């Protein structure tokens, strides 16, 4: 019976793995380091030889691409000029990266008023399963 209960999760995991395999190399590596090894952004940046500030964008893009492949639904459009920064902050908070109190308050308020970023927040979480 336990195997039957795990079948839907196994199927989802297989779809997520297939989606991740289709990512460009930098996004795939960044996502794998973060999700499989719990690597900090500084460590991911060092491994990829890029600026640490770029890691949030890579992870947002990677996770939303995984979500798009699994759900067959494109990511929500950027509803405001603040959405790109909000998405970077959402992923940083989700990953346990340091976000100062003022920024955490700002992103919480932005997401409360932005349906697109609420959808993105759910999608980022889904893609991290």
């Amino acid at each position: 019976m336990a195997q039957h209960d795990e079948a839907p999760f196994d199927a989802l995991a297989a779809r997520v793995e297939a989606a991740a395999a289709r990512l460009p190399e930098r996004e795939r590596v960044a996502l794998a380091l973060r999700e499989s090894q719990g690597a900090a952004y500084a460590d991911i940046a060092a491994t990829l030889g890029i600026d640490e500030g770029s890691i949030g964008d890579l992870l947002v893009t990677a996770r939303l691409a995984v979500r798009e492949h699994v759900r067959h639904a494109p990511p929500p459009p950027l509803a405001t000029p603040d959405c790109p920064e909000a998405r970077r902050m959402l992923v940083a908070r989700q990953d346990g990266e340091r976000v100062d109190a003022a920024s955490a308050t700002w992103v919480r308020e932005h997401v409360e008023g932005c349906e697109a970023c609420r959808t993105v927040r759910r999608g980022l979480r889904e893609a991290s399963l």
Side-chain angles (χ1 to χ4, degrees), residues 60-108:
V60 167
T61 301
R63 288 178 177 148
L64 291 179
V66 167
R67 177 191 177 271
E68 180 176 5
H69 180 76
V70 170
R71 287 191 163 269
H72 307 288
L78 300 171
T80 75
D82 291 331
C83 290
E85 181 62 21
R87 292 174 184 197
R88 282 189 293 275
M89 292 176 103
L90 285 169
V91 78
R93 288 182 67 204
Q94 176 179 323
D95 290 339
E97 293 291 315
R98 175 176 241 136
V99 175
D100 64 74
S103 296
T105 298
W106 176 84
V107 75
R108 187 173 38 256

